[in-house]
Amino acid sequence: MTDADQARDRIREDAVEAALDKLDLDTKTRLLAGQDMWSLPALPEIGLHSLVMSDGPVGVRGVRWSADDPSVALPSPTALAAAWDPELARRAGRLLAQEARRKGVHVLLAPTVNLHRSPLGGRHFECYSEDPRLTGAVGSGYVAGVQDGGVGTTVKHFVGNDAETDRFTVDSVIAPRPLRELYLAPFEAIVTGARPWGVMTAYNRVNGTTMTEHRHLVNEVLRGEWGFDGANVSDWMAARSTTGDILGGMDVAMPGPATVYGPALAEAVRAGEVPEAAVDAAVRNVLRLAARAGALEGAPAAVASLPAPVDGQALARELAVRGFVLVRNEDAALPLEVSAGRTVALIGAAARDARVLGGGSATVFPERVVSPLDGLTAALPDGALTYAVGADPSDEPVPADRGFRLRAVCRDASGAVLGEGSLPTGQVQWIGDDLPAGVSYETLASIEVRGTFVPREGGEHIFGTRGLGAFELAVGGRTLWSGVQPMGDEADPFEAFFGAPSERARIALAAGEPVEVSLTFRVPDMAGLPVRAIMFSLLHLGPRRDADALIDEAVAAARAADTAVVVVATTERVESEGFDRTDLALPGRQDDLVRAVAAANPRTVVVVNAGSPVEMPWREDVAAVLLGWFPGQEGGAALADVLLGAEEPGGRLPTTWPARFADAPVTEVVPVDGRLEYREGLFIGYRAYERNGIVPAFPFGHGLGYTDWAYESLEATADTVRVRVTNTGTRPGREVVQVYLAPLDDAVERPASWLAAFAGVQAGPGESVEAEIALPARAFEIWDEEARAWRRIGGTYEVRASRSHGDTRLTTTLDLA
């Protein structure tokens, strides 16, 4: 920090204290309660502007979930982690800060740095990795980039929110060593290294104490040991106790205004249950956050000059390329030959209708989406590409999208129109005050999703609904269904709000002929709810054809082409916020499709469109497998770049992919009697595979490129590792040099090996380059449960320079005193 930065910090702190001194108790507690779904109240008397927050792991939604103000949609966090490049993550953060400023947002509710403890975690696409060091490094880059742009971050979900099942109430039971060495480790790295302006505490309990009330982990560890001086925001609706939360170090209870803070907190102070100093400490943290973000007059913002503007479309494409992981490439099947006359058969429903984002609160509406079919059509000569559906991953109706032009018309009880809003799909998702102009909950009686639909295919079309309440569905001016959808047995409120997709009617439609569609929803009385929200969807599913016939068509297309590219995918019913997975199988007949296509064409390339691991029982029967994650809005263009060789797939696996679900060493995500016991201790991910002698399909850190590398020399000290590598291939490339430590004759229980550090290097054909990689002291330490402190473990270590956890190229020994 420069002298100028320190001077600005002092001025900022003085301004915060001066503002705090002017506030009375009721105003202070009102500030901590929030004012609505996404913001804190403005306090003009002290020059405080309303502080606005927004979800933002892959794109900044803003305060309205609307296509009227589209957002750049970047690849999923698993894809960002797959790049193994903190500086790239920093660039992504700068773009998101630029988007946040454009939308009037001061604080992003991101990044998510919980670990991939089990591959069944339903929200793992929004997290980075199974490894705490990789997660901490990528998360630090992301936080630094966002805050470079003058926008705050809230690192989440602190801590132990590593699965979705019963996430509001589950008690994550974690022993001290794995809690420190695994689950707290990425938070510690980010807090001490990147200095985030905010943290979000999770819904769950840890070892019996609710995280929003966890004095030890928040006040003693996060603030005391790590020096965190930012604002601690609750996850939405996580705050449950006025005294417990404020004494537990939680600063802001969201969403407002009806929370456990506000008048209830002021009364607790007056009753002597809470010292006003605790309230002051929370307000001070909030004012500091506002000052850093430029929302407190008289206080200099943390960033005096903003970074250069970022081209969002170009960066989204680059991030996708860098995150693609080529895990198999037999006989140099990739990149594809594009000489005259060569043909490609593109196969798979997800090739046409790509899933570019994960489900849940991370969802945004991009201005455009480039599918694999779009990308390859643009990149290949006319006549070189054919397309076949092959197999659809879902047989359930999904929110109306392709071919639909829809609006939401809001009416009062008399039928008069109050206002209208555009819809990018048939999904209505209005939370808090996110309503069209002129509309209020007090006057809103019904919402009609209406518009036109132009079918891509003729035949029997299925229409349906998702959500709770009373509906009326009409197509072509004819009412097809009217009824009420009651609450089901969904355990998670997020899942319950949306409800399960339900088929309501079938109707024959002709291809290319427009038809009017309408779904009317009767708005219930929400006066007594803590958070008012409207969530429902008009669903659609195109004509269903015989599954075997679809596969036969794909086989014929593959047989007639030089190369077959099959895109397989998960769905929002497989990976999403609010629930965990039950297995790792691809939905529908996609496995059958791949086997059949591979049998017809030996040059079959499979692209996996999923945010986290899936089983690939056909992986050794195909020529190449490319993991595309949820690749963001430019995913199809990036895919064409990689398949055709314009770019090298740059990714390495951030999490282990098992050969089959039965091999996964940690699968428990369902609590028993409210408790989810982390019985595996230190042994998750590659640590567990190695301990149990299980060979995965593809190991942690694995990834192929379009060139080859020779590892030539390795030198190691207790502080630094130097690795010299040479690009022995015929084109430029990037290598991720991974350094693992393996203790010899270990005196304490530890994994057999673990990632200590890594670095990316670039070199042209025949060029050599040396990677100098700092070894952090923490890599040699364990958490001593008796001493309640970190302890350095001496002895002899094998230092491994590796291409992946399963591919060690050089070793040396290091004697540590």
Side-chain angles (χ1 to χ4, degrees):
M1 183 179 291
T2 66
D3 291 342
D5 290 333
Q6 292 176 344
R8 290 168 63 85
D9 272 355
R10 287 192 295 270
I11 296 171
R12 190 181 307 116
E13 287 300 308
D14 289 344
V16 166
E17 291 302 324
L20 177 60
D21 288 343
K22 296 176 183 178
L23 300 178
D24 60 28
L25 176 61
D26 292 307
T27 304
K28 289 185 288 192
T29 58
R30 178 165 59 90
L31 175 64
L32 302 181
Q35 73 172 348
D36 55 27
M37 193 68 188
W38 304 114
S39 68
L40 305 186
L43 300 177
E45 62 269 33
I46 60 170
L48 177 66
H49 300 274
S50 177
L51 200 66
V52 179
M53 309 179 199
S54 172
D55 283 312
V58 299
V60 184
R61 185 176 64 246
V63 298
R64 298 196 61 207
W65 218 314
S66 168
D68 293 338
D69 184 14
S71 308
V72 173
L74 301 181
S76 62
T78 42
L80 185 60
W84 287 60
D85 188 344
E87 188 55 37
L88 185 67
R90 188 167 192 162
R91 292 173 56 206
R94 287 179 172 177
L95 170 62
L96 293 175
Q98 176 178 294
E99 284 281 280
R101 295 193 308 272
R102 179 175 67 83
K103 290 174 175 267
V105 169
H106 302 97
V107 181
L108 284 189
L109 303 173
T112 304
V113 299
N114 302 106
L115 296 185
H116 297 177
R117 172 180 168 265
S118 165
L120 294 181
R123 202 175 178 181
H124 280 350
F125 61 87
E126 195 180 316
C127 311
Y128 290 128
S129 169
E130 70 187 21
D131 181 77
R133 192 162 303 282
L134 177 60
T135 297
V138 176
S140 293
Y142 178 102
V143 166
V146 173
Q147 295 182 176
D148 284 346
V151 175
T153 55
T154 54
V155 187
K156 65 184 188 182
H157 305 87
F158 187 72
V159 61
N161 181 191
D162 308 296
E164 292 293 280
T165 305
D166 295 345
R167 59 179 173 157
F168 284 78
T169 57
V170 63
D171 184 7
S172 299
V173 182
I174 314 173
R177 272 196 68 192
L179 180 60
R180 287 282 188 158
E181 296 180 26
L182 295 178
Y183 303 101
L184 286 172
F187 289 95
E188 180 183 11
I190 295 168
V191 168
T192 58
R195 313 305 302 181
W197 302 349
V199 161
M200 180 188 291
T201 39
Y203 295 117
N204 54 282
R205 291 173 286 161
V206 169
N207 298 329
T209 302
T210 302
M211 275 310 305
T212 55
E213 305 170 38
H214 215 302
R215 301 188 196 189
H216 170 60
L217 291 180
V218 173
N219 290 337
E220 297 175 19
V221 177
L222 175 64
R223 293 198 184 277
E225 292 183 26
W226 302 347
F228 175 67
D229 66 354
N232 175 13
V233 180
S234 76
D235 204 340
W236 265 227
M237 297 178 289
R240 302 177 180 98
S241 167
T242 299
T243 58
D245 287 337
I246 195 69
L247 296 177
M250 193 190 75
D251 299 323
V252 178
M254 290 296 288
T259 73
V260 297
Y261 285 174
L265 180 55
E267 179 58 32
V269 172
R270 292 187 176 106
E273 298 168 358
V274 172
E276 189 166 355
V279 174
D280 288 347
V283 172
R284 183 178 292 111
N285 293 331
V286 172
L287 294 176
R288 183 181 296 117
L289 171 60
R292 286 169 167 165
L296 181 63
E297 295 174 11
V303 176
S305 58
L306 296 173
V310 180
D311 183 331
Q313 185 173 307
L315 182 57
R317 185 169 180 167
E318 180 185 352
L319 289 171
V321 166
R322 292 286 304 279
F324 284 141
V325 183
L326 182 61
V327 294
R328 178 178 172 85
N329 194 22
E330 295 299 295
D331 300 323
L334 292 180
L336 301 179
E337 292 184 31
V338 292
S339 55
R342 306 288 294 184
T343 57
V344 175
L346 181 62
I347 296 165
R352 181 182 64 184
D353 302 328
R355 187 179 181 196
V356 300
L357 297 165
S361 60
T363 302
V364 295
F365 297 120
E367 188 172 23
R368 72 176 212 157
V369 170
V370 182
S371 70
L373 181 57
D374 296 332
L376 284 170
T377 298
L380 289 170
D382 290 343
L385 183 69
T386 60
Y387 172 71
V389 173
D392 198 314
S394 175
D395 58 1
E396 293 182 329
V398 298
D401 190 359
R402 274 83 177 179
F404 287 85
R405 293 177 62 89
L406 302 170
R407 293 189 66 78
V409 181
C410 301
R411 295 184 172 89
D412 64 16
S414 72
V417 174
L418 299 171
E420 297 187 12
S422 64
L423 296 174
T425 71
Q427 179 173 307
V428 175
Q429 189 163 293
W430 298 337
I431 304 174
D433 295 329
D434 183 12
L435 297 171
V439 180
S440 70
Y441 288 104
E442 289 71 24
T443 56
L444 182 59
S446 69
I447 302 167
E448 182 188 11
V449 174
R450 63 180 302 174
T452 58
F453 171 48
V454 181
R456 292 187 296 195
E457 302 167 284
E460 186 178 61
H461 288 253
I462 298 170
F463 289 85
T465 64
R466 187 178 184 188
L468 308 177
F471 297 92
E472 183 175 291
L473 171 67
V475 178
R478 182 161 60 95
T479 298
L480 300 182
W481 178 79
S482 179
V484 176
Q485 176 64 47
M487 174 75 79
D489 59 358
E490 296 88 357
D492 189 281
F494 189 91
E495 187 180 8
F497 246 129
F498 281 106
S502 300
E503 179 183 329
R504 301 303 187 189
R506 299 187 177 212
I507 184 171
L509 299 174
E513 294 188 10
V515 62
E516 298 295 317
V517 295
S518 168
L519 177 67
T520 301
F521 172 70
R522 304 298 172 185
V523 178
D525 181 10
M526 290 180 279
L529 298 179
V531 175
R532 294 185 291 188
I534 296 173
M535 297 183 181
F536 70 93
S537 298
L538 167 65
L539 306 180
H540 170 259
L541 187 64
R544 298 292 86 189
R545 296 181 54 207
D546 179 75
D548 289 332
L550 286 175
I551 292 176
D552 288 344
E553 286 182 4
V555 167
R559 190 175 287 121
D562 293 296
T563 302
V565 176
V566 185
V567 182
V568 296
T570 59
T571 70
E572 283 202 14
R573 299 285 283 169
V574 174
E575 290 185 274
S576 182
E577 179 177 351
F579 57 87
D580 291 310
R581 300 160 73 182
T582 56
D583 58 43
L584 302 181
L586 286 168
R589 295 281 303 278
Q590 294 181 100
D591 286 336
D592 293 339
L593 170 66
V594 173
R595 290 189 185 98
V597 169
N601 189 327
R603 294 185 67 80
T604 292
V605 176
V606 180
V607 179
V608 181
N609 181 195
S612 49
V614 296
E615 288 181 341
M616 296 182 282
W618 33 258
R619 65 189 179 279
E620 295 183 359
D621 301 326
V622 300
V625 179
L626 182 68
L627 308 183
W629 313 105
F630 298 143
Q633 66 176 55
E634 304 299 319
L639 179 63
D641 290 340
V642 167
L643 292 181
L644 303 181
E647 301 285 352
E648 180 183 48
R652 306 292 185 267
L653 283 179
T655 198
T656 306
W657 280 50
R660 52 186 187 144
F661 172 58
D663 291 343
V666 181
T667 57
E668 295 80 8
V669 293
V670 178
V672 177
D673 296 328
R675 291 163 56 92
L676 181 60
E677 304 217 18
Y678 289 41
R679 293 188 180 90
E680 68 282 350
L682 299 170
F683 300 94
I684 66 170
Y686 63 86
R687 297 165 167 84
Y689 283 89
E690 187 170 28
R691 185 191 201 199
N692 296 330
I694 300 171
V695 178
F698 302 109
F700 175 79
H702 174 64
L704 307 172
Y706 290 158
T707 190
D708 296 313
W709 297 87
Y711 279 58
E712 297 181 339
S713 66
L714 166 64
E715 299 175 3
T717 69
D719 303 310
T720 307
V721 171
R722 289 183 175 84
V723 182
R724 187 171 183 81
V725 297
T726 297
N727 181 346
T728 59
T730 59
R731 56 180 287 164
R734 180 178 184 271
E735 175 70 335
V736 178
V737 179
Q738 302 164 39
V739 178
Y740 296 86
L741 295 179
L744 304 178
D745 299 321
D746 208 357
V748 295
E749 183 185 38
R750 284 189 287 182
S753 63
W754 57 88
L755 180 70
F758 63 92
V761 295
Q762 293 179 299
E767 184 181 355
S768 297
V769 61
E770 183 175 84
E772 182 173 324
I773 308 170
L775 276 183
R778 183 58 53 79
F780 299 99
E781 296 175 340
I782 69 164
W783 181 256
D784 189 319
E785 295 184 353
E786 291 186 6
R788 297 184 181 182
W790 292 99
R791 176 160 64 93
R792 189 173 176 88
I793 305 298
T796 303
Y797 290 82
E798 182 176 77
V799 180
R800 301 172 178 173
S802 305
R803 297 205 71 198
S804 74
H805 185 256
D807 185 3
T808 296
R809 296 302 178 93
L810 296 172
T811 65
T812 188
T813 57
L814 174 65
D815 292 318
L816 194 71

